[in-house]
Amino acid sequence: PAEPPGANRLFSYVHEWLPGQEQKTVIEPAQTHTLGDDSQELISSVSLEQLIRFYANPCQYYLNQSQHVYFTENTEELEESEAFQLDGLQYYQLKMDLLNWHELFPQDIGYTEFKERELNRGHLGYHLTAEKHIDRAIDDVNDILNRTEQYKLVYPGIERSLLSIKLTLPSGIQLEAEPFPVLAAGPECASCIIDSRPAKSSAKIKLQLWLKHLMICAADQKQKYHLPEGKEFRTVCINTDLSLIYEPVTQPQAKAYLQTLVEIYQQGLNEPLAFFPETSFSFIVEGRTEAMKKFYGGYNSPGEIDNAYIQRCYTDFDSIPLQQLETIARHVYQPMEVYLKAVKDDFAYLQEHCL
């Protein structure tokens, strides 16, 4: 701009724009203190699905449900070049599609129809590359299916059914699970629920299955839900790296564990709890250093801090109340570890224990 009349050659507008430049935007962390007793949100019922979503990310659950805060991702731009590799989520979804296809169309032995459908959809990239993706996924899924058959031999009469459970906890809170598909053994043998996940086992997967296992073990009137009375229930989850086997839990003990988990859930409706599935598990099992690796991640391995909801509540590891993190982690994971066995050789395990 032109110099004002009478101004010397050293005149500057810096005094007008510099103060604005020096102002810094400070993002305040989300509320991290427990609300007063008068504002505690009381619940009369909770579903298994709500518990699973909550324990997957308590920070997100709190911001979504209590603060009505939602972070939306920007729409991705169309790729200008063709990708020749699938990311982890795409490959997992492809294997899940294969498992579901096998249940619906067991007569498609070589997955010929599945291949044709996926290739025609064109979402897996170039034709020859897409075939390689599908063939690799089929190898992984066939390994899971073969290991599943070993358990079916031990548990005769096992069949797929929909399981729906309602029960009352000691506090009077109603806990229910909407119908979910399971492979369950009949009443003529020791009962077993078989699940499969085409991924490596993780703390998050372990916890999801532990919640389901507790629901089954705590179920009232088992005959009403097509579960045999007087039978103990094991839950088996077959992953790509190993199998997770949950030993039977007595009904009173299962209800007591669920009561604790629901109390933590209720607290999480009033504040963003310091619980992160992978970080928390690593903290009580391996210590602070390994927990920080889970929190921050590494090369080609995202950390839990990368989640926008966790960033909103906790800016870094030092901002986490470690006493709360450890207390909740021990309440959640220590009972599970008592009943959980990680098995790498399914056949050897079945031979040794004669389930």
Side-chain angles (χ1 to χ4, degrees):
E3 296 178 0
N8 61 43
R9 302 296 297 177
L10 299 178
F11 178 82
S12 172
Y13 285 93
V14 67
H15 66 282
E16 295 183 7
W17 58 262
L18 186 58
Q21 292 293 106
E22 291 178 340
Q23 292 180 0
K24 296 182 180 179
T25 302
V26 178
I27 300 178
E28 296 294 336
Q31 179 180 342
T32 57
H33 62 277
T34 307
L35 302 180
D37 292 338
D38 295 337
S39 59
Q40 287 285 335
E41 184 172 346
L42 299 178
I43 58 174
S44 59
S45 64
V46 62
S47 70
L48 174 62
E49 292 74 18
Q50 287 175 313
L51 286 179
I52 289 176
R53 291 205 312 272
F54 169 77
Y55 280 102
N57 190 337
C59 291
Q60 179 174 351
Y61 198 89
Y62 167 77
L63 290 174
N64 289 168
Q65 301 297 319
S66 300
Q67 302 297 314
H68 306 291
V69 173
Y70 297 87
F71 298 141
T72 56
E73 297 181 359
N74 295 328
T75 303
E76 294 184 1
E77 298 181 359
L78 293 176
E79 297 285 349
E80 296 183 357
S81 58
E82 185 173 7
F84 290 92
Q85 295 291 334
L86 300 181
D87 61 34
L89 182 59
Q90 290 173 317
Y91 188 52
Y92 175 82
Q93 188 58 54
L94 176 61
K95 291 186 287 187
M96 282 299 299
D97 290 343
L98 268 168
L99 284 172
N100 294 332
W101 183 273
H102 176 78
E103 292 296 333
L104 294 172
F105 307 102
Q107 69 277 9
D108 187 15
I109 304 299
Y111 300 102
T112 304
E113 297 178 17
F114 178 85
K115 280 186 177 181
E116 183 178 353
R117 187 194 71 164
E118 295 300 301
L119 292 175
N120 289 337
R121 289 174 63 189
H123 67 295
L124 298 177
Y126 178 62
H127 187 89
L128 292 178
T129 304
E131 280 192 316
K132 292 181 179 179
H133 294 325
I134 296 173
D135 289 339
R136 184 162 66 99
I138 288 175
D139 289 340
D140 287 346
V141 168
N142 279 338
D143 177 66
I144 291 176
L145 293 174
N146 290 335
R147 289 157 59 198
T148 302
E149 289 300 320
Q150 296 177 18
Y151 287 90
K152 287 183 178 180
L153 292 175
V154 175
Y155 293 97
I158 201 164
E159 59 183 19
R160 177 165 291 275
S161 60
L162 288 177
L163 191 61
S164 177
I165 297 175
K166 293 183 180 179
L167 58 91
T168 303
L169 297 178
S171 63
I173 294 176
Q174 300 292 318
L175 189 56
E176 60 181 302
E178 294 298 324
F180 58 93
V182 296
L183 281 173
E188 69 276 5
C189 60
S191 297
C192 176
I193 302 296
I194 298 181
D195 199 349
S196 57
R197 303 290 178 91
K200 290 185 177 180
S201 58
S202 65
K204 182 180 291 187
I205 290 178
K206 291 176 181 178
L207 182 52
Q208 290 175 357
L209 291 161
W210 173 239
L211 290 169
K212 285 186 177 182
H213 182 65
L214 288 177
M215 282 286 291
I216 295 168
C217 293
D220 297 314
Q221 299 178 325
K222 291 182 170 58
Q223 287 287 359
K224 181 179 179 181
Y225 308 113
H226 309 290
L227 299 174
E229 292 281 2
K231 297 292 184 181
E232 294 183 329
F233 294 89
R234 287 181 175 86
T235 295
V236 177
C237 181
I238 301 174
N239 299 282
T240 55
D241 56 340
L242 48 79
S243 294
L244 304 173
I245 300 178
Y246 297 80
E247 294 296 330
V249 185
T250 63
Q251 186 184 59
Q253 188 63 70
K255 285 189 175 184
Y257 289 147
L258 286 170
Q259 178 66 48
T260 300
L261 293 171
V262 169
E263 289 173 357
I264 295 172
Y265 166 83
Q266 187 163 346
Q267 183 184 355
L269 296 177
N270 297 281
E271 62 173 318
L273 296 181
F275 178 81
F276 322 96
E278 306 299 332
T279 302
S280 297
F281 183 77
S282 185
F283 187 85
I284 63 172
V285 174
E286 302 173 294
R288 178 189 176 107
T289 301
E290 294 301 317
M292 290 179 66
K293 293 179 182 178
K294 295 290 185 182
F295 190 72
Y296 288 114
Y299 175 73
N300 203 29
S301 177
E304 290 179 300
I305 186 61
D306 294 334
N307 180 271
Y309 293 95
I310 293 177
Q311 288 182 22
R312 184 69 179 87
C313 299
Y314 300 101
T315 55
D316 53 28
F317 194 84
D318 291 335
S319 66
I320 299 173
L322 295 184
Q323 183 175 357
Q324 185 189 74
L325 181 144
E326 181 177 3
T327 300
I328 295 176
R330 293 195 182 280
H331 280 304
V332 172
Y333 285 125
Q334 281 189 335
M336 181 189 76
E337 287 294 286
V338 173
Y339 296 90
L340 176 61
K341 294 182 179 179
V343 176
K344 293 186 177 181
D345 189 336
D346 298 273
F347 182 73
Y349 178 82
L350 290 172
Q351 278 192 320
E352 179 182 355
H353 296 274
C354 298
L355 295 177

